[in-house]
Amino acid sequence: MTPALYIALRFLTHRKRALLLSLSGVVFGVAIFICTQAQTQGFARYFIDSTIGSNGALVIRSRFRPRYEPLMVSAKGSKGNVGRRLYFEGITNANEIMRVSRQFSNVVSCSPVLRGTVSARAGFENATVDLYGIDPALHAQTTDILHQLIDGNFDDFRNNTSSIIVGSRLAELLQASVGDTVQLLAPNGEYWRFTVAAIARAGIGSIDSTRVYSHARVAQALLQQPSGASMIIYKLRNPNRAPALASRFETLFQHNATSWQDREESTLQLFLTLRMSVAITVSLIILLAGFGIFNVLTMSVLAKIKEIAILRSMGYRRIDISSIFLWQGALIAAAGSLLGCLLGALMIAWCVNDLGRIAHSHSSPRLAIHELLSSDLGLETLRVCDLAGDPGSVHRQLRPRASRC
């Protein structure tokens, strides 16, 4: 230990009140910064996890062919090739597209979906819903629908073609529960009767309040659509590479392909803006607190005038005395940062315990997260998603507990 460091330690321990005040400012400043950044990133990751788990990381939709019109001018601000396409609704060769796309290393699974808008009726309640005709086995592999179920059984839906899965908010609107009958209005004016096999909660209001799942062949007959699918959704090993794969699929299949980044661009931009604003606000608060800490340290230096004079008389140079107080500030910063990180970790560990406790009393980890998000601990819970480093890490932590319920 150098003499400058030893003297700095003695100066720190001599005035314990000033030390604790300065240390507390650094500890709480670092802890608040970590927690606020984890909170905003947790919001974003929870949304990304939910939207990818419900709508896929990549979606192939309508077929297109180029327009050969050399005099045609694209709209201002649009992509040059988008305005020169003719689109045709539906995918007629879905099986062939899926067979070829499965050969890509980034593709885990894919599922065809037939989508249509119909009117639903249950009792005296009516609602306009989005009907998704799916292949149960493929859709379960591609999405998180198995983990989104909060009531009912997916096997009951898979084994019964006259059953449906209803979004949680839509079920509340229609006042329908598992086992009840829901009628869907076909385009020819005929009502089709279905039994509610399960209720799903994705965590996104636009999905939970409008979506109904049925078997693909039943939806094709109800909607009277000759095409086998309206879109194909994909589950990718690396969702961050979805834009490059979407561009490759457009060139290969001549179908419109959209990645989740393009689909949720406005929402992701909102999260980025929120994160930056929170970071700026907390940084300014820490900066203001730093002036207070600097004031305390300055008063500590002024109180050491006699000690500085003694050191000068002993032969210490000006730079040596400056290093003593620089060491003093560095020690406070290092100890405060370490304690601040530990404080943030303890808060997140506390939130994980509360999340696990709630999940232990529910059949679905996603339901447990939804319950906790609606409680006073919601903000702390979102930090778990950030520090875990993986959007699905909370689900993997809670899945064993929930499976034992």
Side-chain angles (χ1 to χ4, degrees):
M1 182 181 296
T2 62
L5 179 58
Y6 177 76
I7 295 173
L9 289 174
R10 291 295 301 268
F11 281 176
L12 280 177
T13 56
H14 179 67
R15 298 188 62 184
K16 295 183 175 57
R17 182 176 300 178
L19 172 63
L20 292 177
L21 182 61
S22 302
L23 196 62
S24 300
V26 177
V27 169
F28 286 103
V30 172
I32 291 174
F33 184 82
I34 292 176
C35 292
T36 52
Q37 286 301 297
Q39 170 190 338
T40 52
Q41 188 170 353
F43 269 115
R45 292 199 175 191
Y46 177 77
F47 175 80
I48 291 172
D49 183 39
S50 298
T51 189
I52 292 179
S54 300
N55 297 324
L58 188 149
V59 178
I60 289 182
R61 298 182 186 272
S62 306
R63 178 174 59 91
F64 66 85
R65 67 177 178 83
R67 286 182 178 176
Y68 300 100
E69 299 179 10
L71 299 179
M72 183 176 178
V73 180
S74 301
K76 187 176 181 180
S78 63
K79 296 181 181 179
N81 59 341
V82 174
R84 301 178 183 272
R85 292 176 177 177
L86 287 175
Y87 288 93
F88 303 92
E89 294 294 332
I91 302 176
T92 56
N93 56 340
N95 292 330
E96 182 68 18
I97 292 177
M98 290 191 297
R99 183 186 66 81
V100 175
S101 59
R102 287 191 184 100
Q103 299 177 9
F104 287 80
S105 59
N106 196 24
V107 175
V108 178
S109 60
C110 50
S111 173
V113 176
L114 180 61
R115 180 181 178 180
T117 302
V118 297
S119 177
R121 182 176 69 181
F124 298 99
E125 303 295 336
N126 294 274
T128 302
V129 301
D130 288 334
L131 180 63
Y132 274 53
I134 61 174
D135 183 306
L138 293 178
H139 205 74
Q141 296 175 2
T142 308
T143 66
D144 294 336
I145 190 171
L146 293 178
H147 306 298
Q148 294 174 359
L149 299 183
I150 60 175
D151 195 8
N153 195 333
F154 189 78
D155 291 334
D156 296 338
F157 168 74
R158 177 165 40 197
N159 299 328
N160 185 4
T161 57
S162 62
S163 62
I164 57 176
I165 298 177
V166 183
S168 58
R169 293 191 179 182
L170 180 61
E172 294 176 1
L173 177 62
L174 297 176
Q175 298 182 5
S177 58
V178 175
D180 292 345
T181 299
V182 174
Q183 299 180 4
L184 301 182
L185 181 61
N188 59 3
E190 179 183 356
Y191 277 98
W192 290 45
R193 294 178 177 271
F194 294 90
T195 303
V196 178
I199 296 176
R201 175 180 288 155
I204 301 177
S206 59
I207 296 177
D208 294 335
S209 59
T210 59
R211 188 166 297 186
V212 173
Y213 297 97
S214 70
H215 287 254
R217 294 189 179 276
V218 176
Q220 186 175 356
L222 188 149
L223 298 173
Q224 299 178 1
Q225 292 189 9
S227 60
S230 302
M231 56 185 175
I232 302 174
I233 62 176
Y234 288 84
K235 180 179 181 180
L236 305 181
R237 289 185 174 86
N238 185 5
N240 294 328
R241 296 172 54 191
L245 188 61
S247 178
R248 182 74 180 276
F249 279 179
E250 281 196 352
T251 305
L252 180 62
F253 301 126
Q254 295 295 296
H255 282 70
N256 184 28
T258 307
S259 63
W260 67 269
Q261 291 94 332
D262 295 333
R263 188 176 65 226
E264 306 295 343
E265 182 179 3
S266 59
T267 306
L268 294 177
Q269 188 64 34
L270 176 62
F271 282 129
L272 179 60
T273 304
L274 177 63
R275 188 179 180 187
M276 292 179 61
S277 63
V278 171
I280 293 173
T281 302
V282 176
S283 299
L284 290 176
I285 294 175
I286 295 176
L287 181 62
L288 293 176
F291 285 112
I293 298 173
F294 178 78
N295 185 35
V296 173
L297 294 179
T298 302
M299 297 302 294
S300 176
V301 173
L302 294 177
K304 302 295 183 181
I305 294 178
K306 294 181 179 180
E307 288 82 354
I308 294 174
I310 295 174
L311 292 174
R312 291 285 290 174
S313 64
M314 294 172 60
Y316 278 81
R317 297 172 297 173
R318 187 184 301 270
I319 189 173
D320 296 329
I321 296 175
S322 299
S323 65
I324 291 174
F325 294 101
L326 290 177
W327 270 113
Q328 186 175 347
L331 291 173
I332 293 177
S337 299
L338 178 61
L339 294 176
C341 293
L342 292 177
L343 179 61
L346 289 176
M347 294 176 64
I348 292 180
W350 174 64
C351 298
V352 170
N353 292 332
D354 283 289
L355 185 59
R357 175 180 53 80
I358 296 179
H360 192 73
S361 60
H362 293 82
S363 59
S364 171
R366 187 175 294 273
L367 174 59
I369 294 177
H370 186 276
E371 293 287 340
L372 195 54
L373 289 177
S374 61
S375 66
D376 295 335
L377 301 176
L379 298 181
E380 287 81 2
T381 304
L382 295 173
R383 302 168 194 162
V384 178
C385 303
D386 176 70
L387 294 193
D390 182 8
S393 60
V394 177
H395 296 172
R396 289 195 295 270
Q397 293 176 10
L398 299 181
R399 197 171 295 159
R401 293 185 178 184
S403 62
R404 294 195 297 266
C405 297

